[in-house]
Amino acid sequence: MKIEIKLADNTNGFIIKNMYPLYLHDISGIHGILPNEYGIFEEEPIRTLAEQYDIQQVWFENPNVLYPYLIMVDNIPAGFCLVGSGKYVEKGVDYFVYETFLLSPFRGKSVAYHAMIEIFERHHGKWSLFTHLAENNIRAKTFWYKTIGCYTENQYTTEEKIIDEMIKLVFRFNN
């Protein structure tokens, strides 16, 4: 199995946009979010997936600050990871993992682990990311503890913090 990380741009960013509704559906069960009146998982009054595409365009218009990565397995899109920096991260942080998603057929095969290690290696500095602390999010919490723990040799911190009115588990580390 060949795992490859590609920085997406306007020529292939549509692949991330295609997977994004699946990601929102996936996390809706964790966050307890329902679709809007048009069947779209968005807070704004978005009526179509085409409109949702436009929301994601910012990721492909800010190179060197926003890093939309495609995760490929044997040349097939398997997921994505959205990493921000600069004005898109809080003070004291160099890089922030906004979203990470892997399609179901690729889960449980260490694809996300290897992808994240490669992404971390591409950007050195102070990292932060968070995940939902809910009991029904055990898989994501376990993934981040394992991945960050292995990558940093357990040299990281965590804290529970209320973000967007939900309790989150925040990870911080330097590389």
Side-chain angles (χ1 to χ4, degrees), residues 156-167:
Y156 66 93
T157 62
T158 60
E159 73 173 307
E160 294 179 13
K161 190 174 180 181
I162 295 175
I163 301 170
D164 297 329
E165 301 176 13
M166 291 183 254
I167 192 155

Side-chain angles (χ1 to χ4, degrees), residues 34-47:
L34 297 173
N36 67 17
E37 64 185 298
Y38 306 107
I40 305 287
F41 286 98
E42 284 289 349
E43 294 175 16
E44 301 175 38
I46 303 299
R47 294 175 31 157

Side-chain angles (χ1 to χ4, degrees), residues 27-92:
I27 66 169
S28 69
I30 295 164
H31 292 258
I33 297 170
L34 297 173
N36 67 17
E37 64 185 298
Y38 306 107
I40 305 287
F41 286 98
E42 284 289 349
E43 294 175 16
E44 301 175 38
I46 303 299
R47 294 175 31 157
T48 67
L49 291 175
E51 289 176 38
Q52 191 179 54
Y53 258 46
D54 295 340
I55 294 170
Q56 301 306 315
Q57 191 55 36
V58 66
W59 285 97
F60 310 101
E61 295 174 347
N62 292 281
N64 303 315
V65 228
L66 294 178
Y67 304 94
Y69 288 105
L70 276 168
I71 301 169
M72 308 291 289
V73 174
D74 297 329
N75 296 316
I76 297 170
F80 62 83
C81 179
L82 304 177
V83 175
S85 69
K87 70 179 185 178
Y88 295 98
V89 300
E90 67 182 327
K91 185 178 178 181

Side-chain angles (χ1 to χ4, degrees), residues 1 3 73-74 78 102-115 139 143 146:
M1 177 168 40
I3 301 168
V73 174
D74 297 329
L102 201 63
L103 293 167
S104 293
F106 302 98
R107 294 178 187 171
K109 299 176 182 176
S110 298
V111 171
Y113 172 81
H114 291 291
R139 189 173 188 147
F143 169 78
K146 176 188 170 193

Side-chain angles (χ1 to χ4, degrees), residues 3-15:
I3 301 168
E4 188 178 8
I5 305 308
K6 292 183 177 181
L7 188 59
D9 57 25
N10 279 316
T11 64
N12 59 1
F14 68 91
I15 299 170

